[in-house]
Amino acid sequence: MAPNPTSPVHSQQHRHKSHHHHHHGGVYPPHHLSSKASGSSEHAGWVEGITRLTENHAATALIASDPAPLPSVITPTQAATPPSSFPSASLTPQEDFDSKIKHAFETLESEVKRMGESIVEFGAPDGFGPTDLDDAELDQLLTSVREHANVLGAQTTEIRRRRQPSPQDGDKNMATADICVRRRPGPGVSPLELRVAIVGNVDSGKSTMVGVLTRSMLDDGRGLARSKVFKHNHELETGRTSAISQHTLCLDESGNVLNDTAFRATTTADYVSRSAKILTLGWSACQKKHLGVALALRVPVFFIITKIDLAPAHVTQHTLTTLQSILKKPGVKKRPFVVRTRDDVVTCARHMHTDSLAPIFLTSCVTGEGLDLVRLFYNLLPQRVDWAERAGGLAEFVIDETFGVPGVGTVVAGTVKRGVITTNTPFLLGPDIGDGSFNVCYVKSIHYKRLAVSRVIAGQTAALALKKIKRCQVRKGMVLVAEALKPQASWEFDADIAILTHSTTIQPRYQAVIHCEIVRQSARVVAMDKRRLRSGDRSTVRFRFMNHPEYLVAGSRFVFREGRTKGIGVIVETNAAPEPSVPDLVEEEEENQEEQ
């Protein structure tokens, strides 16, 4: 039997089945999960629920990058005031040239100081600086850019150079160049950090891909690369990863991979100290439902199809065709883009922030085909969030792991969502699982990628050692925030939700498990703006947590599930309602029994 190309990561390659149901004359057809409907229960997944959506479903709008708010709940943002128009002064050609260079340098300086890196195009009409340049003039301009970048403590790297038709003279070609300007590492300079979740089917080559990238080596076809990233002996014996793992890909200011064959988890700090940009690659075995969750949460995705050296051409083409058809569904609305050249990589990296592009890479970890394009894409991959803006806010650290370290005490790991975390500064830790309160605590030491540091800023992951806090006092989903933020735990929250799949109807008192970032807890629907909801419907509802309050932020996306039911939502407003009293709970239980 011919081997199939498999896609890890950022991609899952399965033969998806898609069935569409249409409503006629207001009569609902048998639901796809009911016993009367054709097909099996396999069709209840996230991917199937999303791909079944059509433009006629209200749920489709919520999955959009910028969903239109429901008028009954969310107040539309007022349109920005248009900028004032200024008459352009008459300039000589040399003055115009110098003015454009000055403006380009000022903009570039602002971007590098704020974001840490900037990828710009010089010489193009929609790029930076003057246009309609020949090669000599472009070289002179890039020399000035390098000198200016050195003053800023940054490095310039030429990604590509092209010749394009001049907009002013169609018979003349102008020279353009794409340049990456990145801040150099040094004392007091925090490296850029991106996190990439790698998901894929069993035996799709996730561990092998990570081993090849983080060890700068090729696989031998018999498990050499994956053996470098395994954690347990039984993983070496079976060849399959059994634990969620994270590995670090370190890049210098020129975009070169610092990882080599000597890279180990215990030596990560040495590589991190020399890095200008860091990618944290985390992966685990999964099913295609994880692709559906990523699509529902609007997480940008890209796909890597592996083992193309083993697959016949017709199998590879069938995989591409199937994947492309799924990405074009109304509920997905992504444009598949097969990456074959460096120009394609630059195009994809520039437009990943639009959340509508889905790059597809064809690779082989044995022959090395396509790996250079993947490395270049990682090098140019932009951050999703403007962390520089968030770094100026009050500190907020989300806890996703807890540890008890002998000789150190309680250690929490997580992500800095806002502000700056420094040692020996008072923070509020909560919400307490008992009463939802926030208590003062201090951070006595900070480790970033196994490197001891005195502070971490928004966008970075870190491990914090807490003073006089027992491990039993912390849990996943708690936060560490600045005292000035005056946080409150929420028992209830209002959300704009969309139902992807459900066998019957959803009504008040319906219960589901909420997954919002690290928060994971059962919640009950206590109010709705509609009497009942079916698959494909959209509504505003109020959820109430069943066990204890949580710290939530308006605007956060979440998913909820219960059995085969799948849904997505956006938090509109939080409500720190008091915990329900015992008589209220008894009365509610009696009402439930009467209804039954």
Side-chain angles (χ1 to χ4, degrees), residues 119 159-160 162 178 277 302-303 337-353 357-363 370-382:
I119 301 174
I159 303 170
R160 67 174 175 179
R162 298 184 296 172
D178 290 272
K277 187 173 186 176
F302 61 99
F303 299 82
F337 190 100
V338 180
V339 179
R340 302 187 186 276
T341 64
R342 289 178 63 91
D343 287 350
D344 293 340
V345 174
V346 176
T347 300
C348 292
R350 284 186 182 278
H351 296 89
M352 280 301 289
H353 67 280
L357 194 66
I360 303 174
F361 296 83
L362 305 176
T363 66
L371 294 181
D372 287 343
L373 299 180
V374 174
R375 293 189 181 98
L376 178 61
F377 183 71
Y378 275 140
N379 176 40
L380 303 181
L381 196 62

Side-chain angles (χ1 to χ4, degrees), residues 30-34 499 501-505 534-535 562 564-565:
H31 191 272
H32 61 276
L33 297 181
S34 67
I499 310 301
T501 61
H502 188 61
S503 56
T504 55
T505 60
R534 299 177 184 269
S535 293
E562 181 267 327
R564 296 173 180 173
T565 301

Side-chain angles (χ1 to χ4, degrees), residues 457-515:
I457 63 175
Q460 294 185 321
T461 55
L464 314 179
L466 305 181
K467 289 183 179 179
K468 300 180 180 179
I469 298 292
K470 298 180 180 179
R471 187 181 179 186
C472 61
Q473 295 177 269
V474 294
R475 59 179 174 83
K476 293 183 180 180
M478 294 180 71
V479 294
L480 205 63
V481 299
E483 291 182 299
L485 195 59
K486 298 180 180 179
Q488 283 188 323
S490 301
W491 274 101
E492 297 180 348
F493 64 94
D494 295 342
D496 182 6
I497 70 167
I499 310 301
L500 301 181
T501 61
H502 188 61
S503 56
T504 55
T505 60
I506 292 178
Q507 302 179 25
R509 297 193 181 90
Y510 169 79
Q511 295 182 15
V513 179
I514 304 294
H515 296 263

Side-chain angles (χ1 to χ4, degrees), residues 294-359:
L295 296 176
L297 294 177
R298 305 309 301 178
V299 176
V301 297
F302 61 99
F303 299 82
I304 294 184
I305 299 178
T306 63
K307 305 181 184 179
I308 63 171
D309 56 314
L310 298 178
H314 72 278
V315 176
T316 302
Q317 186 57 45
H318 179 271
T319 300
L320 282 173
T321 303
T322 304
L323 179 58
Q324 290 170 347
S325 65
I326 293 173
L327 295 174
K328 293 178 181 178
K329 297 289 185 181
V332 181
K333 287 185 178 180
K334 287 191 178 292
R335 178 190 171 195
F337 190 100
V338 180
V339 179
R340 302 187 186 276
T341 64
R342 289 178 63 91
D343 287 350
D344 293 340
V345 174
V346 176
T347 300
C348 292
R350 284 186 182 278
H351 296 89
M352 280 301 289
H353 67 280
T354 63
D355 195 33
S356 61
L357 194 66

Side-chain angles (χ1 to χ4, degrees), residues 175-186:
T176 65
D178 290 272
I179 304 297
C180 176
V181 184
R182 180 173 296 161
R183 191 170 49 203
R184 296 190 183 100

